[in-house]
């Protein structure tokens, strides 16, 4: 077998004139344009339809009053009423969607979030979970109910116990090693608003 003597040029193939024609015909929902071109009458009708279609698009895109949008709308209503009706319908649909989003933003998710925060009891939970065969980690959750920054708390635990400590969830800190019993003294000492009665021991938990 022979070996190729030249290298294939880098990049995609050039966009040819015929490719643009095929793309335009596809927009007019013409699949087999070669067969259509054999029928002169059908082809003339198709060319006439294409001229009307793309002239309309061109007039919509390139208005002489651009960027004055109101004047463009007045010109479109006068010269191309059909296209103006399409633009008007699109604007009404978009306006309705924006209004719906604003209502959801003002009264939907925001209210649910604040309600959820009020209903959550202020309670810190600590537990121990196995890590591998012999090691374990300590899991702390509930600190955010006391408005404590979890990243700051994770850094404090890592420094205090000289181990890895990271935020792993919305309200969860994982400390490498078994330090569960020590937390009952360290947490109230660091954050006085949390007393020992607000700390719950969940014992051993699987993750």
């Amino acid at each position: 077998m022979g070996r190729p003597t030249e290298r294939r040029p880098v990049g995609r193939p050039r966009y040819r004139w015929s490719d643009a024609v095929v793309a335009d015909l596809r927009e007019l929902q013409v699949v087999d344009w070669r067969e259509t071109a054999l029928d002169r009458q059908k082809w003339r009708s198709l060319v006439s339809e294409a001229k009307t279609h793309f002239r309309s698009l061109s007039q919509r895109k390139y208005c002489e009053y651009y960027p004055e949008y109101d004047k463009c709308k007045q010109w479109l209503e006068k010269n191309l009423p059909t296209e103006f009706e399409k633009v008007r319908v699109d604007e009404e649909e978009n306006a309705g969607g924006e209004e719906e989003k604003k209502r959801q933003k003002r009264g939907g998710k925001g209210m649910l979030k604040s309600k959820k925060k009020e209903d959550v009891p202020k309670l810190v939970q600590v537990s121990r979970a196995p890590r591998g065969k012999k090691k374990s980690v300590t899991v702390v959750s509930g600190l955010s109910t006391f408005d404590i920054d979890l990243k700051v708390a994770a850094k404090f635990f890592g420094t205090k116990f000289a181990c890895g400590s990271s935020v792993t969830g919305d309200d969860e800190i994982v400390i490498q090693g078994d330090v569960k019993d020590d937390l009952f003294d360290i947490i109230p000492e660091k954050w006085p608003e949390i007393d020992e009665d607000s700390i719950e021991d969940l014992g051993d938990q699987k993750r």
Side-chain angles (χ1 to χ4, degrees):
M1 293 181 62
R3 299 181 63 182
T5 57
E6 297 182 1
R7 297 181 62 183
R8 182 169 178 251
V10 179
R12 68 178 185 183
R14 292 185 177 180
Y15 193 68
R16 301 167 298 180
W17 173 81
S18 60
D19 296 330
V21 172
V22 171
D24 291 343
L25 289 170
R26 194 181 297 115
E27 187 173 340
L28 294 171
Q29 298 181 349
V30 177
V31 181
D32 193 353
W33 65 271
R34 290 183 177 84
E35 185 178 345
T36 307
L38 296 176
D39 189 332
R40 182 172 296 181
Q41 192 65 28
K42 285 185 179 180
W43 186 254
R44 284 180 178 174
S45 175
L46 181 62
V47 170
S48 177
E49 181 184 350
K51 286 181 179 178
T52 304
H53 176 74
F54 290 109
R55 185 185 299 117
S56 172
L57 287 180
S58 176
Q59 288 173 336
R60 283 180 63 183
K61 288 180 180 178
Y62 306 104
C63 175
E64 59 181 316
Y65 297 110
Y66 182 82
E68 297 183 20
Y69 184 64
D70 292 335
K71 288 186 177 180
C72 283
K73 285 180 63 177
Q74 293 174 4
W75 181 91
L76 191 66
E77 183 179 10
K78 181 180 179 181
N79 295 277
L80 296 168
T82 305
E83 299 300 327
F84 173 77
E85 186 65 21
K86 292 179 181 178
V87 173
R88 187 181 64 80
V89 171
D90 291 342
E91 286 182 345
E92 289 179 356
E93 290 179 353
N94 292 335
E98 290 295 327
E99 187 64 27
E100 183 66 22
K101 287 182 181 178
K102 288 180 180 178
R103 282 202 299 269
Q104 288 182 357
K105 197 170 184 180
R106 286 198 296 265
K109 296 180 181 178
M111 290 180 65
L112 289 173
K113 189 173 180 181
S114 61
K115 186 177 179 181
K116 183 178 179 182
K117 188 174 180 181
E118 291 176 0
D119 293 341
V120 174
K122 291 188 174 183
L123 182 66
V124 177
Q125 296 176 325
V126 295
S127 62
R128 181 172 49 237
R131 176 174 171 259
K133 293 183 178 180
K134 296 183 180 180
K135 296 183 179 180
S136 60
V137 296
T138 303
V139 182
V140 184
S141 60
L143 288 174
S144 62
T145 60
F146 291 89
D147 295 328
I148 295 172
D149 191 330
L150 297 183
K151 290 184 178 180
V152 174
K155 186 176 181 181
F156 167 74
F157 291 141
T159 305
K160 185 71 176 179
F161 299 114
C163 63
S165 177
S166 59
V167 180
T168 58
D170 294 336
D171 188 13
E172 184 181 83
I173 296 175
V174 173
I175 307 170
Q176 303 299 322
D178 181 8
V179 294
K180 180 170 66 73
D181 296 335
D182 298 330
L183 292 175
F184 287 92
D185 296 326
I186 291 175
I187 290 177
E189 183 181 341
K190 174 65 177 178
W191 296 285
E193 64 270 24
I194 306 175
D195 54 24
E196 291 186 8
D197 295 334
S198 300
I199 304 175
E200 181 181 7
D201 187 355
L202 298 180
D204 294 337
Q205 302 282 332
K206 290 184 178 180
R207 291 179 57 79

